[in-house]
Structure formats: structure tokens, C-alpha cells
Amino acid sequence: MSLLKRPLDLSEKVLGVLCVAAFATMFVLGIATVVFRFLLESSLAFPDELIRYLFVWMILLGSAVAFRRNMHAAIGMFVDLVPRPLQRAALLGATAASIAFFLVLLVYGFSLTRVVQPQISPALEVSMSWVYAAIPAGALFLLIYALEFLAKLLVRPVEDVLAEGGQG
Amino acid sequence: MIATTISLALVGLLLIRTPIAVALGMASIIGLWVSGIDLAIAVQRIFSTNNSFPLLAIPFFILAGEIMSTGGMSRRLVDFAGALVGHFRGGLGAVAILGSGFFAALSGSNAATVAAIGGVLNQPMAEKGYRPPYTAATIAAAGVTGMIIPPSILLILYGVVTGVSIADLFIAGVLPGVLICASLLLVNWVLIRHETVELTPFKGGGEIWRTFRAAFWPLLMPVIILSGIYGGIFTPTEAAIVAVLYGMVVGWAYGELSPGSVYRAFFRAVLSSAIVMFIMNSAGVFAWLITINQIPQEISAWLAATAGSQWIYLLSVNLFLLIVGCMMNAAAAIVVFTSILYPAAMTFGVDPVVFGIVMAVNLSIGTVTPPLGVDLFIASAITKVSIERIVATIWPYILILVADLLLISFYPPLSTFLIGLIR
């Protein structure tokens, strides 16, 4: 566990930096589009497209960071009402569902990324694989963090696992 | 058959505390699998939901809110509100409410509004003798304006799901936002009789002018944003991008932004956007699946047959959403229930813009009701008062908010008047 904690912390940090970099680029491109439209009265097609594609990457990778920080919205009021052993069972079930969902996204996302390879984006003229790859990439980190959460649930008391990270 | 399977899976997953996005996604995967549809369609839907220019308004409005609160704007807005209403009975409570109303015009979310205004006013209110639970209840309730006064994340989501103009929704949110502010001020004015607080003297017109000048740039921003969107100069997304730039320039001019604080603002905005969009992405798959199975149409036909009239329909939708709002995050709820409740509302001839405002106000009330109100959690974290003690104090505010909701539901001109005026 503790052996894996450091590389996982590092991966989370790297994903965070990548998301901020994508967001900052989107912001600069967005300003550029507005300025171009005003000053030159012609709109650029490629920034609009690139902003959307970076958005896809930012959200998928950002979702993984938020997952590790236990920040995703969930309805906890029913689980809070039941005794500890049942709470653990519920959380195990919920984590299993997360793992299954992320696995589906990883596998099907990967195959779809390969399928769309011949498709070329209209403005940037790059393969659509570059954009679709965000889904399996995000799903991979979501899966890794969900497995880490599962491992924590198995070895530590429920309240400890829930107490760490964002809003619980 | 499919409908039963999907809903059982969804409810079961939600009950065991599965993240809402995963519950929606996994219930859809099960539905697709049972129907024998290629699961790749889920990935396809997630991609096309996320690859949307209108939705980009959300991360940028969130970022704008983050930049404004780090850039010293919330304090200046509070100072201006203080000069205007600080000397009345219950002055600082009124300052919190008015300040939140101002800040709501810069930010699209309740949580950001409570954090920004609560962070500034918690200390001064304690010094003037306001009991911490009273402070917490007031700043939490005032946060409700965050998602009504434009910009609003809930209204953007509603607009994207239904195709209703986001510009119209924003304009329609103005008067209901003002109504909510005014009614909260009234409750504060009544409640404060039972509190012993120190009064602040009126500092004169000069103070109003001085604080107005200090708060001029933040106050000008909503004017630029709204007139820009409505005048057809910007799309809502472009307006959000301009708002971020504006916030950065003003924050930099105030000397209150550092590269580190800007980086942290970006990072927090990434996480908040990812939380909303993760749900939106899964809801995209879910909406596609239920639509090809004709489920919204069936529910809508059933509702139309059962409810009988527009009044009964609006009343039942409000009751239902108030219950949902107590249990579910507002953004998730508006995304999930709009596609189900909207068609029947249209059958009953409800104005599409008014229905959006009703849903947004209703689900915003959910942010101050126990057990899951996010405003309560933030107010509790700022004031160090337990949720139970805030709830014991906040209920008069909740009652007036419900009264506002009914007024907004059954008196459509509140939402549509300004749109008609501007057209």
C-alpha cells in the first residue's frame, strides 16, 4: 500500500498540472477567438475546435483527480443510517460498480479510439484518435484510483477512508 | 422491462453511495447490455456530450468566480453593501445578503458565493455580537442567489439539455434573484429582533460614494456580461472567457493576484468543472438510452393524464424536486430530471424559460436544506457551527424561499417581464 502511495500521489499531481495547462491554453485560445472576431471580423475555426478537444481531455483527467480526492457527488444519507458492517458492504458495492464502469469505458474507449483513427478533424486536420484517447486515458486513471480506494476499504476502518479527501 | 431494469439499477446504486456519475453510467451500461446495444455507444455519447462549446461556459464561469474571490473583489462588494445597508437593524445580516446578491452576479454557483461572502463577513459579524449559528444560517441562505442571479451553472445546464436560449434564461433570472434577496432581507429584519447585536452608525453619503468607487469594476462586470450576451456580442461561453480576463485584469490592478493564487484558482475550477461534467457526461448516455426507449414520452403522457392541469403539474413538480433537492446535488438533479419533466411541462403550456427558472430556484433551495445542502456544509466549515445548529436557525429563511418559489412558479411575468422589455 504505502509503497504504491508515492507513485499514485505523483500521478495525481501530474494529472493536475496537465489539466491546469489545458485549461490555461483553452483560456488563451478563447481570448484569441474573441479578439479575432472583433478586430478582424473573421472567425478562426481551429481555436474553437482545439478548445473543445482540450476540454474533453481536461474533464476526463480532472474527473480522475476528483475521484482520488473523493470529491464526486454521491448520496450518503442512506448509508449513514445503517450499522458499520453494512456501511462497509455498501461502499464495497459502490466501489465495485465504479470499477466496472471505468473498465467498460477503458476497454470500449480504447477500441473506439482505434476505430476513429482514419477520421480527420475538420479544422485541425488531425486524427480523431487524439481526441477520443482522452476517454480511455481518463478511464485508466479512474480505474487505478478506484482500485486504490478498494484496497483502502479492505484494510482500514470505513470512517477513516471516508474522512480523508474532500467532502466525503 | 428496460425501464424497470434501468431504474432499479440506478436507485440501487444511488442508495449504496455510488458516485452519481457512476450510478447513471453503470445503470445505462446495464440497460444497453440488456437491450443488446454495442457498449461503444456509451463512449460515443460521452464524447459528444463533452465536445460542446455551450457547456464550456461552465468551467469559465466557475474560474471567473474563483478569480474574483481571490482577487479581492468580494471584500470590496461587501464594503459597498455595508455602506448602503450596514446601519439598519440587523445591518451585517443585510450586508451578507446584499453582498451575496452582488457576488452572485459575478459567479455561477452557490458554493462559491457562500465561501466568498462568508469568508469576508464571519469575523466582523462575530465581533458585532451575531451568534455564530445566526451568521452561518444567513450566509448559507444568501448563497441561494448564486445560481439564480445570472450567470448560473444550473441555467446553462438546463439550456443545453432543452435547447432554450441561455441568454433568455439569464435575463429571466434577474427579477427572481432580486425577489429572493428582498425576501431574505425581510426575514433577517424580523429575526434580528430576537438577537442582541451592536449597531453600526451610518457613515454618510461620502462613504457610499467611496465604497462604490472601490467596488466599481466588480459591479460593472455583470453589466458587461449580460449586455454582451443579450446584445448578441458574445455567446455565453465567450462572455465567460471575457469575465475571466476581466477578473484577472482587475485583480492584478488591485495588486491581489499572484501567479500562485491564479494557479490554485485554475486548479479548483478544474476540479469543480470535472465534478459537474462527469455527471453531465454519464447523464448524456442515460438520456440517450431512455429516449430511444421512449421513456420520457411515456412518463410525460402519464403525467399529462394524471396531473390534469398546469397548476397541479407545477405544484407536483415543485414538491417532487424539493424532496429530490434534499438528497441530490443540484447540478446532477437538473441534468437528470429536465429531460423527464420538460416534455410534460410543454404539454401543459408552461413557458420553457419560466420552467427553467422554477427548476433552478427549487433545486437551489436544496443547497440549504439538510441533510445534503452544500451551502450548509460550507457555512459550517467557515463558522465552525454544527449543521444541526445551523438548521435550527435557518428554517425561517427556508420557508420564505419556498414562498418565493411558489410566487415564481405561478406568476410567470416575474421571469418573462424583462425579456419582453428588452425585445
Side-chain angles (χ1 to χ4, degrees):
Chain A
M1 262 316 277
S2 52
L3 203 70
L4 280 172
K5 194 179 176 303
R6 286 180 82 182
L8 288 172
D9 283 348
L10 183 70
S11 71
E12 186 196 313
K13 217 166 224 146
V14 172
L15 290 185
V17 171
L18 287 176
C19 286
V20 171
F23 201 7
T25 314
M26 286 157 61
F27 171 58
V28 173
L29 288 170
I31 294 293
T33 347
V34 177
V35 169
F36 261 81
R37 212 160 46 83
F38 269 94
L39 298 184
L40 307 176
E41 290 179 353
S42 69
S43 48
L44 292 172
F46 92 87
D48 177 286
E49 193 178 279
L50 188 53
I51 292 172
R52 279 183 286 117
Y53 294 170
L54 286 171
F55 182 43
V56 178
W57 273 95
M58 176 186 108
I59 292 304
L60 266 296
L61 298 183
S63 296
V65 177
F67 190 91
R68 187 151 195 261
R69 295 180 168 219
N70 201 9
M71 286 171 79
H72 284 297
I75 299 173
M77 57 185 288
F78 301 106
V79 170
D80 291 342
L81 297 176
V82 300
R84 288 264 180 261
L86 270 178
Q87 272 185 8
R88 179 184 292 270
L91 282 176
L92 283 173
T95 312
S98 298
I99 291 172
F101 181 52
F102 302 151
L103 206 57
V104 170
L105 290 187
L106 177 63
V107 171
Y108 286 85
F110 186 70
S111 66
L112 201 62
T113 302
R114 294 180 54 162
V115 170
V116 297
Q117 199 176 3
Q119 285 180 30
I120 302 297
S121 80
L124 289 167
E125 300 184 350
V126 294
S127 162
M128 286 305 285
S129 289
W130 287 103
V131 198
Y132 272 82
I135 294 170
L140 176 66
F141 285 102
L142 281 162
L143 182 63
I144 292 171
Y145 297 151
L147 289 169
E148 185 197 13
F149 190 78
L150 180 70
K152 278 188 199 161
L153 266 183
L154 291 174
V155 297
R156 288 165 44 191
V158 179
E159 54 270 32
D160 280 16
V161 181
L162 284 183
E164 61 178 48
Q167 300 149 358
Chain B
M1 174 58 205
I2 293 285
T4 324
T5 315
I6 307 170
S7 36
L8 280 181
L10 181 63
V11 172
L13 286 169
L14 287 176
L15 284 180
I16 59 170
R17 203 181 182 285
T18 312
I20 294 170
V22 171
L24 282 167
M26 207 50 213
S28 314
I29 296 285
I30 293 170
L32 290 171
W33 188 67
V34 174
S35 325
I37 300 171
D38 185 0
L39 298 188
I41 197 79
V43 179
Q44 181 63 53
R45 294 317 304 171
I46 288 177
F47 179 78
S48 51
T49 303
N50 207 149
N51 185 26
S52 143
F53 203 74
L55 277 180
L56 270 163
I58 290 174
F60 285 114
F61 274 129
I62 292 176
L63 178 59
E66 291 287 356
I67 297 276
M68 315 272 174
S69 43
T70 22
M73 298 201 194
S74 37
R75 210 188 52 244
R76 285 171 173 82
L77 291 173
V78 164
D79 287 346
F80 177 53
L84 284 177
V85 296
H87 55 286
F88 291 122
R89 196 177 70 199
L92 282 179
V95 173
I97 294 162
L98 198 61
S100 299
F102 288 152
F103 193 81
L106 307 180
S107 137
S109 93
N110 290 5
T113 307
V114 176
I117 301 302
V120 177
L121 274 175
N122 179 37
Q123 196 60 32
M125 285 179 84
E127 282 163 10
K128 293 283 180 191
Y130 287 77
R131 290 181 304 116
Y134 189 81
T135 304
T138 307
I139 59 175
V144 167
T145 50
M147 292 197 289
I148 311 302
I149 295 181
S152 154
I153 289 167
L154 288 184
L155 293 177
I156 296 171
L157 289 169
Y158 177 86
V160 168
V161 173
T162 59
V164 174
S165 148
I166 294 171
D168 282 354
L169 289 165
F170 276 9
I171 295 292
V174 173
L175 286 184
V178 172
L179 169 75
I180 288 171
C181 261
S183 64
L184 294 177
L185 284 171
L186 182 73
V187 172
N188 169 62
W189 189 75
V190 172
L191 286 183
I192 209 72
R193 286 171 193 272
H194 309 293
E195 311 278 327
T196 40
V197 296
E198 224 176 284
L199 284 180
T200 345
F202 183 54
K203 293 196 191 104
E207 176 72 1
I208 295 182
W209 178 239
R210 193 191 65 74
T211 53
F212 172 75
R213 281 203 346 243
F216 178 73
W217 296 110
L219 285 170
L220 184 65
M221 197 191 91
V223 178
I224 298 176
I225 298 302
L226 272 188
S227 54
I229 295 177
Y230 218 77
I233 304 169
F234 311 129
T235 63
T237 304
E238 288 171 341
I241 293 169
V242 171
V244 174
L245 181 67
Y246 187 94
M248 281 185 172
V249 172
V250 175
W252 177 76
Y254 287 162
E256 299 200 20
L257 284 180
S258 66
S261 66
V262 171
Y263 180 88
R264 284 188 296 277
F266 266 85
F267 185 63
R268 285 193 303 272
V270 164
L271 290 179
S272 311
S273 317
I275 292 166
V276 175
M277 283 301 301
F278 195 38
I279 296 169
M280 187 72 185
N281 285 344
S282 293
V285 187
F286 189 77
W288 183 85
L289 180 66
I290 62 173
T291 308
I292 62 153
N293 283 295
Q294 303 277 323
I295 296 170
Q297 293 84 333
E298 278 170 33
I299 294 179
S300 151
W302 178 79
L303 286 172
T306 319
S309 80
Q310 198 195 79
W311 279 63
I312 300 175
Y313 182 66
L314 277 178
L315 209 59
S316 358
V317 164
N318 272 322
L319 194 63
F320 172 71
L321 288 179
L322 281 174
I323 297 167
V324 165
C326 290
M327 294 181 285
M328 199 168 178
N329 164 295
I334 206 158
V335 164
V336 173
F337 292 106
T338 297
S339 49
I340 296 172
L341 299 173
Y342 180 78
M346 294 308 102
T347 316
F348 283 118
V350 182
D351 186 300
V353 172
V354 175
F355 196 65
I357 303 292
V358 168
M359 286 191 79
V361 172
N362 188 313
L363 293 169
S364 288
I365 295 176
T367 63
V368 287
T369 51
L372 272 182
V374 64
D375 287 13
L376 295 178
F377 287 101
I378 295 171
S380 159
I382 293 173
T383 56
K384 313 274 179 280
V385 176
S386 72
I387 302 281
E388 290 77 17
R389 288 179 63 209
I390 305 179
V391 171
T393 316
I394 204 173
W395 62 267
Y397 285 118
I398 296 180
L399 285 183
I400 197 98
L401 286 170
V402 173
D404 290 339
L405 171 65
L406 291 175
L407 194 59
I408 293 163
S409 303
F410 295 113
Y411 189 64
L414 262 177
S415 315
T416 53
F417 174 72
L418 279 185
I419 301 179
L421 197 69
I422 289 172
R423 277 214 186 106

